[in-house]
Amino acid sequence: MRKVKRKMIANSWDFGEHERWFSDMAKEGWHLRKVGWSFAHFEQGEPKDTQYRIDTSSNKKMSAADKEMFQEAGWHHITKLGEFNVFSSPTELQAPELHTDPVEQAYTLKDLAKRLQRSTIQTIILCILGVAIAFAFWFFDNTPTLTFIRGDFQLVVLLLTLAFSLFTVLQSNLSIRRLRKGLQEGKAINHNAPWRKKRRIPLALSSVLITLLSANLVALSIQIMLRDTETLPVEGNDLPIVRLSDIEQNPNLVREEHFMNNELDMLNRYSYNWSPIAPLQYESDESGIIPGQLWRDLSGTYSPSLRTEVYRLNFPRLSEKLLADLVRRNIYEGDVMELESAVFDSLFIQEQEGSKKVFVAKGKGVMYVAYYGYADTATILSMIEDKIALIEN
């Protein structure tokens, strides 16, 4: 026997709409067997004219006496979900209504309405917390573009989920208030209320949300699969990152190493990352020593180091904002100069005694290089020009 499940009308308190929907399905030969918060389950059979009624029980369990009383009146209990109970009866039987006094029925919904109000307040608090966490995460160091480009965009989906939850509980709150008000005014529930329009909007919203969640899950899976950190090879320079030996150009330069578990050299490593916005991202750190050479202040053996960050963007229009975020994140004190360049689209430099920080953008490529040593700026820019040529298109 064939079975199907269909997305529920989002608002559980639309009793009339649900009752009419179940009846329309029965006319087509699909008879209700079970309901869940998201889906209703139907079983195929002979098309029948069946009327449905939804009743509530404040303690989530309807008494056997009430069920027996409804059964004797011609209403067969089909299924329940929480406090919702669904009954059916052949239309030709003309079974009497479960409730004949709307005001009394409104009273039975009083406790449920209060519980829904508490649930709404809890959801609002949860949404406020979610927004606060997202705001702190994105704007704590004032680098939202960098955070987004690195692929830390899962919070966007979290916020969308919270917003959808808030929309749902607010809609439910509004519906039960409207339902109780109508009943208190003596208006019986319209058991033949049109349902198609009310189901369309939540269906569209949930479809968008499911699509976003699925896309996020796929992106996260790809990111986890591709993300990697390895020790930089001593030689070979086919990666789009600047190497310390190219800048120092000193044959006496040797590595300063610090291995973790004999596998990863934390002072000479590179990491690869991926995101839909920037499918190529590298970060590298490199440290060296030139034996016999001292820092100018005689503080010890000359030990230059280098950090490089590289981003190849799918959307070059983001390069300026990314560059600005990199400057904000990496310039702690002192001034940074923006220079005109015939090579790069944008060029920012901070030069201090023994250190240089360079930020460049060209085409799809964005690079940040922090160098601690005595090489001149022209040499660093020359190396960056060579490397950014690998990713600018």
Side-chain angles (χ1 to χ4, degrees), residues 30-278:
W30 294 104
H31 304 286
L32 181 69
R33 290 295 176 259
K34 190 170 69 173
V35 293
W37 292 116
S38 298
F39 293 96
H41 298 251
F42 299 90
E43 192 173 276
Q44 192 174 35
E46 291 295 323
K48 293 180 181 176
D49 283 330
T50 307
Q51 53 184 348
Y52 289 85
R53 294 294 181 267
I54 298 174
D55 198 28
T56 58
S57 51
S58 58
N59 60 359
K60 293 190 177 183
K61 186 174 181 181
M62 181 165 280
S63 68
D66 282 345
K67 284 184 184 177
E68 186 178 345
M69 180 179 68
F70 293 149
Q71 179 76 33
E72 290 174 355
W75 293 100
H76 175 61
H77 186 263
I78 299 293
T79 183
K80 74 181 290 292
L81 176 67
E83 60 270 358
F84 300 99
N85 289 271
V86 185
F87 296 84
S88 72
S89 176
T91 304
E92 68 217 23
L93 191 61
Q94 301 268 322
E97 291 296 335
L98 301 182
H99 295 277
T100 54
D101 185 349
V103 177
E104 183 185 339
Q105 189 176 9
Y107 183 77
T108 65
L109 297 172
K110 183 179 178 181
D111 289 342
L112 295 175
K114 285 183 178 178
R115 220 164 58 219
L116 189 57
Q117 284 177 353
R118 288 197 294 271
S119 174
T120 303
I121 292 171
Q122 290 168 355
T123 304
I124 290 173
I125 293 173
L126 197 62
C127 287
I128 292 172
L129 286 174
V131 170
I133 291 171
F135 186 86
F137 185 79
W138 286 85
F139 297 100
F140 179 74
D141 58 0
N142 198 24
T143 57
T145 304
L146 177 61
T147 303
F148 183 68
I149 284 174
R150 282 182 165 177
D152 301 324
F153 47 86
Q154 289 82 3
L155 280 175
V156 174
V157 178
L158 170 65
L159 290 177
L160 287 173
T161 305
L162 288 175
F164 184 76
S165 301
L166 184 60
F167 166 78
T168 302
V169 297
L170 287 176
Q171 193 185 41
S172 297
N173 217 330
L174 186 64
S175 289
I176 193 171
R177 286 169 66 90
R178 191 166 51 226
L179 175 66
R180 290 192 68 228
K181 183 180 178 183
L183 291 170
Q184 286 168 339
E185 292 172 351
K187 299 174 185 174
I189 294 174
N190 178 8
H191 302 295
N192 290 300
W195 53 271
R196 297 181 190 280
K197 188 176 178 181
K198 278 204 170 182
R199 191 162 173 262
R200 199 173 299 144
I201 294 176
L203 260 180
L205 288 175
S206 59
S207 298
V208 170
L209 184 62
I210 289 171
T211 301
L212 287 172
L213 287 171
S214 302
N216 181 66
L217 185 61
V218 170
L220 188 60
S221 301
I222 294 174
Q223 193 175 54
I224 292 172
M225 191 169 57
L226 296 180
R227 185 181 288 167
D228 195 17
T229 299
E230 295 185 16
T231 298
L232 267 172
V234 176
E235 296 181 354
N237 201 12
D238 55 348
L239 297 173
I241 56 177
V242 178
R243 297 300 300 268
L244 187 59
S245 58
D246 293 332
I247 292 180
E248 287 295 325
Q249 298 180 359
N250 188 325
N252 296 322
L253 177 72
V254 294
R255 275 193 170 187
E256 183 180 15
E257 298 175 328
H258 177 68
F259 278 93
M260 295 289 289
N261 299 324
N262 295 323
E263 292 181 355
L264 180 63
D265 182 354
M266 294 302 294
L267 296 180
N268 300 276
R269 64 178 180 84
Y270 72 97
S271 299
Y272 174 78
N273 192 18
W274 175 94
S275 80
I277 311 299

Side-chain angles (χ1 to χ4, degrees), residues 327 331 333-338 348-351 357 359:
V327 171
I331 298 297
E333 59 181 8
D335 296 327
V336 60
M337 298 181 295
E338 182 176 9
F348 294 86
I349 295 179
Q350 184 191 59
E351 294 182 284
K357 293 183 178 179
F359 307 83

